[in-house]
Amino acid sequence: MGKVTGFLEIDRQVHKYQPASDRIRHFREFTLPMSDKEVEKQAARCMDCGIPFCHGPTGCPIHNQIPDWNDLVYNGDWDNAIRNLHSTNNFPEFTGRICPAPCEEACTLNLEDIPVAIKTVEQAIADKAYETGHIRPYPPEKKTGKRVAIIGSGPAGMAAAQQLGRAGHDVHVYERESRPGGLMRYGIPDFKIEKHYIDRRIEQMQGEGVTFHCGVNVGVDKPVAELLAEHDAVLYCGGSETPRAAGIPGDDLGGVHDAMPYLVQQNRRVGGEPIQSVAWPSHPIIAGGQHVVVVGGGDTASDCVGTAFRQGAVRVTQLDIRPQPPEKEDKLSVWPYWATKMRTSSSQAEGAEREFQVATLEFIGEEGQLTGVKCCEVDDKRKPIAGTEFVIRADLAFIAIGFAGPAAAGVAGELEGEMKIATDSRRSRNVEANDRDYRTSVDRLYAAGDVRRGQSLVVWAIREGRQAARSIDEALMGASVLPR
């Protein structure tokens, strides 16, 4: 906890943003950092609530010891704050930027709509640690002689690699794209997380003995069977990449795209790379001067909105089939769980027009090119209401309704073919492995992250990567000191 009476004396404050008119002119992060003293005051608001739901299963999947590091920051002990934070979270600079902060929803002070600014404090601790040189390589004292391969370098793969490398294993990470980071690098826009934060962690991990092999498409360039033959264990962290099929007539028109190729292209532009990706090939997609419609109401849809504005879109409309949520939730019914309530992302606040309880009936066009999106209102059961049809002008449309499992080609294709790996009963083809030892039906092959649990949050990916690392270490050495 922080100061005993801090929550009574200090108002909640979080990072401020650059004005929308300024931030849409660039792809950099646009949060305005708070001073150390301001952050310490926010940490002081952490109250002696008895049962801190913020770091229980409802609040923080990686079980960050939030009251502990809030107290350390309040007392100015930033060094021990980052040590505490790193004991549960390998990459707080990632989660402090892109996690939706279920911990704040679970905060006891959220009963009064004034939760502790946990996410702001977490990001400040991580950024301070870089300034003070605390985040540097921590190589193992001795090597075990065991080799571990990790397929995929997203947050699950990175977390597992760092844990296993520090345990003394020879860790090799195989990444299909030209740089590590997975969809955290290529799917999440730079205005939410600049990629030099990923680069710094990769540099740290390399100093700890982790080897990254980029441009290697496992299952295509290098068979999984070969990895298993060359290593003592293999961890599959391939993510959830197959776009969920919308089944909307006209989705073959020019100008209609899944969200991810669009986001990946722009991230590659910002990163100074060719726009063509191994997994997301497409001709150039630019929203400048266009009328844009985004189908979907989640984070990926919001990222499309922000990207379109920065590219110079004339108008951006976001369609959500769900009813418009209430401005304020019934606390006694939902707390400490994530509440359904009206939320406006920074991208939506930049000028998006939002339509709720609207179904996308058809993409319409002329001579093979999109010209509009036909919509209608729906009832509470998402059934179209007759006579409510309308058309929105559109030059570009992005479908952002989620993901349905790992990419069919490459690793998944080989595993489902020759190895007959068990998948879950859903159509998503997630790899079947429990959340205790993360073993798959193939000997010495483990799976963690979205490829196992389905699309989820970065915090869940980090948790699963850490837990899988402990399981692998235990299997290789007979015991493990890695935290679970």
Side-chain angles (χ1 to χ4, degrees), residues 8 124 135 158 182 219 223 268 341 378 452-453 465:
L8 296 172
I135 298 180
M158 285 181 65
R268 294 178 73 91
K341 62 183 177 183
V378 296
R452 187 199 74 85
R453 68 179 288 115

Side-chain angles (χ1 to χ4, degrees), residues 423-440:
T423 56
D424 63 17
S425 58
R426 295 173 292 177
R427 289 178 293 176
S428 59
R429 302 179 356 270
N430 295 329
V431 175
E432 190 173 281
N434 63 50
D435 60 359
R436 295 182 299 280
D437 59 23
Y438 294 88
R439 294 175 183 265
T440 71

Side-chain angles (χ1 to χ4, degrees), residues 24 63 85 133 147 191 219 252 289 295 323 370 388 477 479:
I24 63 171
H63 301 294
L85 184 48
R147 285 169 56 90
F191 57 79
D252 58 344
V295 180
L370 178 73
T388 63
M477 307 303 295

Side-chain angles (χ1 to χ4, degrees), residues 77-147:
D77 192 351
W78 291 79
D79 284 348
N80 278 319
I82 189 60
R83 290 189 183 95
N84 185 295
L85 184 48
H86 271 152
S87 71
T88 57
N89 183 358
N90 295 68
F91 313 120
E93 69 275 26
F94 300 169
T95 54
R97 285 172 166 80
I98 58 179
C99 180
C103 52
E104 293 190 15
E105 291 285 303
C107 177
T108 301
L109 286 174
N110 191 40
L111 287 167
E112 295 293 331
D113 291 314
I114 50 170
V116 175
I118 299 169
K119 182 175 174 179
T120 294
V121 176
E122 180 178 27
Q123 180 181 334
I125 294 172
D127 291 347
K128 182 78 168 179
Y130 275 113
E131 293 174 14
T132 57
H134 184 85
I135 298 180
R136 60 184 185 275
Y138 294 93
E141 293 182 359
K142 61 180 181 180
K143 290 287 190 176
T144 64
K146 303 292 186 180
R147 285 169 56 90

Side-chain angles (χ1 to χ4, degrees), residues 316-318 320 342-345 348 352-356:
V316 181
T317 305
Q318 186 175 359
D320 195 333
M342 189 65 176
R343 303 174 191 271
T344 301
S345 71
Q348 291 163 342
E353 298 181 28
R354 304 170 70 183
E355 297 280 354
F356 290 96

